[in-house]
């Protein structure tokens, strides 16, 4: 059984089929029997296959757009879709631990500007902050995600990161900037991250 990371990518498979079709057609057209009626019929079949693959690619693009629009409607104002991820707020506010358990260890962690902007769009109330899925590894003096991997993107506010220590966590504010705060306060907005 294939894992999620090894599942085939349909657009890539369709592109591969188009290239295979083209290579096969070229080899038939340049072969010694290119005037054979059976070869000509096979070339016609390959041309028809190319059209069907193109139509399937167009349908896949429409399907993706429709699916994203449906998800946006279902998510409502507390959710955003970006880069193959859904960011969705939990109903209740809470602590870092509440977020980890409520999101099944998938607290939001932006990995680029678009994802950071999506989280900022969710935080619409003045002073609203959300806890991020980041911890501080004091032994190595680095920030890591919830799997222990170093973070590769950050959007620190001026003067941050500072005041590292026990019970400190990384929050994102309504301006999209990251700050160090007490993660045990139970007033943080909790945003879960779901890969799609």
């Amino acid at each position: 059984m294939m894992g999620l990371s090894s599942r085939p990518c349909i657009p890539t498979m369709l592109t591969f089929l188009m290239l295979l079709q083209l290579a096969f057609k070229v080899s038939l057209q340049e072969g010694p029997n290119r005037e054979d009626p059976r070869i000509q019929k096979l070339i016609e079949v390959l041309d028809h296959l190319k059209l069907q693959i193109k139509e399937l690619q167009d349908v896949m693009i429409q399907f993706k757009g429709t699916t994203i629009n449906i998800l946006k409607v279902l998510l409502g104002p507390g959710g955003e879709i970006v880069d193959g991820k859904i960011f969705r707020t939990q109903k209740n506010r809470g602590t870092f631990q509440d977020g980890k358990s409520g999101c099944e260890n998938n607290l939001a962690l932006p990995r680029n500007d678009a994802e950071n902007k999506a989280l900022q769009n969710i935080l619409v109330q003045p002073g609203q902050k959300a806890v991020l899925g980041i911890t501080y590894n004091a032994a190595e003096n680095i920030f890591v995600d919830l799997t222990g991997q170093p973070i590769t993107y950050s959007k620190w506010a001026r003067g941050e990161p500072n005041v590292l220590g026990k019970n400190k966590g990384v929050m994102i504010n309504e301006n999209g900037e990251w700050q160090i705060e007490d993660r045990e306060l139970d007033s943080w907005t909790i945003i879960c991250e779901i890969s799609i």
Side-chain angles (χ1 to χ4, degrees):
M1 183 171 159
M2 285 188 192
L4 289 179
S5 62
S6 64
R7 73 178 166 199
C9 177
I10 292 174
T12 303
M13 290 172 47
L14 292 175
T15 301
F16 173 75
L17 281 174
M18 295 237 353
L19 290 172
L20 187 62
Q21 174 273 340
L22 180 63
F24 194 47
K25 181 179 174 183
V26 167
S27 70
L28 288 174
Q29 288 175 331
E30 294 178 359
N33 300 325
R34 63 180 168 258
E35 300 302 323
D36 186 333
R38 294 175 297 179
I39 299 295
Q40 293 302 317
K41 181 65 177 169
L42 190 53
I43 289 172
E44 287 176 26
V45 169
L46 288 171
D47 286 339
H48 184 67
L49 177 63
K50 179 180 178 181
L51 289 174
Q52 288 179 321
I53 292 170
K54 178 66 178 136
E55 287 174 9
L56 186 56
Q57 286 175 323
D58 293 342
V59 168
M60 291 295 297
I61 290 168
Q62 289 175 340
F63 179 73
K64 180 179 179 182
T66 300
T67 302
I68 287 174
N69 287 336
I70 290 169
L71 285 172
K72 285 180 180 178
V73 168
L74 294 174
L75 284 174
E80 289 280 325
I81 301 171
V82 65
D83 293 340
K85 292 181 186 170
I86 295 174
F87 294 106
R88 179 78 173 120
T89 58
Q90 294 282 62
K91 290 181 183 176
N92 300 322
R93 293 175 176 243
T95 66
F96 176 77
Q97 281 307 121
D98 295 334
K100 277 179 60 177
S101 61
C103 293
E104 298 178 0
N105 227 31
N106 290 312
L107 267 172
L109 171 58
R111 290 171 176 82
N112 56 49
D113 284 335
E115 291 180 12
N116 203 72
K117 181 67 175 166
L119 294 181
Q120 182 182 352
N121 291 342
I122 293 172
L123 302 171
V124 294
Q125 299 172 357
Q128 186 178 13
K129 295 179 183 178
V131 62
L132 295 177
I134 299 174
T135 60
Y136 178 68
N137 181 328
E140 297 184 29
N141 194 29
I142 58 171
F143 289 91
V144 296
D145 64 20
L146 297 180
T147 66
Q149 296 300 310
I151 62 169
T152 57
Y153 170 84
S154 63
K155 190 84 170 186
W156 295 110
R158 172 172 254 137
E160 295 286 359
N162 69 9
V163 194
L164 301 175
K166 189 176 180 184
N167 295 330
K168 297 296 180 183
V170 181
M171 311 301 155
I172 182 171
N173 65 28
E174 77 273 13
N175 297 321
E177 297 173 326
W178 298 8
Q179 299 172 297
I180 302 295
E181 302 273 349
D182 183 351
R183 68 183 188 186
E184 297 309 314
L185 295 176
D186 62 358
S187 59
W188 304 120
T189 299
I190 297 171
I191 303 174
C192 301
E193 175 180 305
I194 304 159
S195 294
I196 52 174

